[in-house]
Amino acid sequence: MSDTPKATYNRVMLKISGEALMGDQGFGLHPPTVERIAREVKSVHDMGVEICMVIGGGNIFRGLQGSAQGMERTTADYMGMLATVMNALAVQSALEAEGIHTRVISAITMNEVAEPYIRRRAVRHLEKKRVCIFAAGTGNPYFTTDTAATLRASEMSCEAIFKGTKVDGVYDKDPIKHADAKRYETVSYDDVLAKRLGVMDASAIALARDNNLPIIVFSLDEPGGFKGILAGEGTYTRVQG
């Protein structure tokens, strides 16, 4: 009899920032960190959970920063989308090294390196227990990878979005700067927007609210944290209606 705990969700979206892949470096990819995240994903995959992923590109290029430095915003955003494809390929390589079949699905057509986004095909990959990494955001400038994650989670009928961060939930103020910061167990979408709690951008929160899609904010730096929450344990904040 297996001692693997039963997961509380059947299909989830894992959203992580590009910065999560750079470890203690100030830029780029840190292979040991990428491999550690891949092991975290594998531990949840081994529970039978169907996993979608969206990874940011801020460790390589961030569109808003490029725009702030004088680059045309649309061009800068497309460069940021390409950065997410690079990160997706890195995570795909790490997952496949762990024996997990993975597909990188890009919102921008680049057939030589990734599949184009076709909803029914992506759903079929999930049903076959392949991890689907959605890259290149929504394929449109002015939209963040937070919005892309919420959009794809809605399209894939995910039961929750798991937002991996540096801290173990949503706080009323920055817990790194303020020792008296208090963590929310649960918080409403409207409070996240009204109090500007910084969980995700406003478009992503509004889309999650409109589709009644809960957001679980947890620490990606906590070993076993992703699996623990899927097993009904651990520390996190749940954003819901």
Side-chain angles (χ1 to χ4, degrees), residues 107-127:
I108 298 174
T109 304
M110 47 182 79
N111 292 330
E112 288 76 12
V113 297
E115 290 187 8
Y117 176 68
I118 300 171
R119 179 184 170 276
R120 288 181 179 272
R121 183 185 293 177
V123 169
R124 187 65 180 138
H125 286 320
L126 292 171
E127 291 171 348

Side-chain angles (χ1 to χ4, degrees), residues 13-15 52-56 81 84 105 107 117 134-140 142-156 158 161 200-201 203-205 207 213:
M13 166 64 72
L14 174 62
K15 168 62 172 70
C52 304
M53 294 183 69
V54 167
I55 306 166
M81 291 179 215
T84 71
I105 301 172
Y117 176 68
F134 296 101
T138 66
N140 302 287
Y142 297 95
F143 289 93
T144 67
T145 50
D146 281 344
T147 301
T150 310
L151 175 64
R152 295 294 183 239
S154 300
E155 291 178 300
M156 294 297 106
C158 292
I161 299 172
M200 288 179 161
D201 66 78
S203 297
I205 295 295
L207 183 59
L213 187 60

Side-chain angles (χ1 to χ4, degrees), residues 84-110:
T84 71
V85 177
M86 296 171 69
N87 284 338
L89 292 172
V91 173
Q92 178 185 42
S93 178
L95 283 170
E96 293 191 337
E98 295 288 336
I100 305 299
H101 294 295
T102 309
R103 295 292 186 271
V104 173
I105 301 172
S106 173
I108 298 174
T109 304
M110 47 182 79

Side-chain angles (χ1 to χ4, degrees), residues 2 21 56 84 87 89 95 130 142 159 164 172 174 184 197-198 204:
S2 173
L21 303 182
T84 71
N87 284 338
L89 292 172
L95 283 170
R130 296 165 181 159
Y142 297 95
E159 296 164 5
D172 59 352
D174 190 342
Y184 295 96
L197 295 176

Side-chain angles (χ1 to χ4, degrees), residues 25-236:
Q25 301 175 156
F27 183 82
L29 291 158
H30 183 237
T33 299
V34 177
E35 291 162 9
R36 178 183 63 79
I37 290 172
R39 290 192 295 271
E40 292 280 330
V41 174
K42 180 181 186 299
S43 70
V44 171
H45 182 272
D46 289 347
M47 297 170 72
V49 179
E50 297 172 2
I51 302 171
C52 304
M53 294 183 69
V54 167
I55 306 166
N59 57 318
I60 299 172
F61 188 87
R62 187 180 293 280
L64 277 173
Q65 290 177 351
S67 177
Q69 294 171 13
M71 188 176 294
E72 197 272 324
R73 172 66 188 272
T74 302
T75 299
D77 278 356
Y78 278 121
M79 292 175 67
M81 291 179 215
L82 296 178
T84 71
V85 177
M86 296 171 69
N87 284 338
L89 292 172
V91 173
Q92 178 185 42
S93 178
L95 283 170
E96 293 191 337
E98 295 288 336
I100 305 299
H101 294 295
T102 309
R103 295 292 186 271
V104 173
I105 301 172
S106 173
I108 298 174
T109 304
M110 47 182 79
N111 292 330
E112 288 76 12
V113 297
E115 290 187 8
Y117 176 68
I118 300 171
R119 179 184 170 276
R120 288 181 179 272
R121 183 185 293 177
V123 169
R124 187 65 180 138
H125 286 320
L126 292 171
E127 291 171 348
K128 291 183 177 180
K129 304 304 179 184
R130 296 165 181 159
V131 173
C132 288
I133 307 176
F134 296 101
T138 66
N140 302 287
Y142 297 95
F143 289 93
T144 67
T145 50
D146 281 344
T147 301
T150 310
L151 175 64
R152 295 294 183 239
S154 300
E155 291 178 300
M156 294 297 106
S157 301
C158 292
E159 296 164 5
I161 299 172
F162 281 73
K163 176 74 182 286
T165 69
K166 293 286 186 182
V167 294
D168 59 356
V170 180
Y171 286 77
D172 59 352
K173 49 191 169 185
D174 190 342
I176 296 172
K177 298 178 180 177
H178 303 277
D180 62 342
K182 295 181 180 179
R183 184 178 60 82
Y184 295 96
E185 292 286 339
T186 61
V187 61
S188 71
Y189 304 111
D190 290 339
D191 279 347
V192 168
L193 292 171
K195 297 178 182 178
R196 299 189 177 188
L197 295 176
V199 177
M200 288 179 161
D201 66 78
S203 297
I205 295 295
L207 183 59
R209 179 188 61 195
D210 292 347
N211 290 280
N212 197 28
L213 187 60
I215 303 168
I216 311 296
V217 183
F218 72 105
S219 173
L220 197 63
D221 292 338
E222 182 70 29
F226 188 27
K227 178 181 178 181
I229 295 168
L230 265 295
E233 304 167 355
T235 303
Y236 57 90

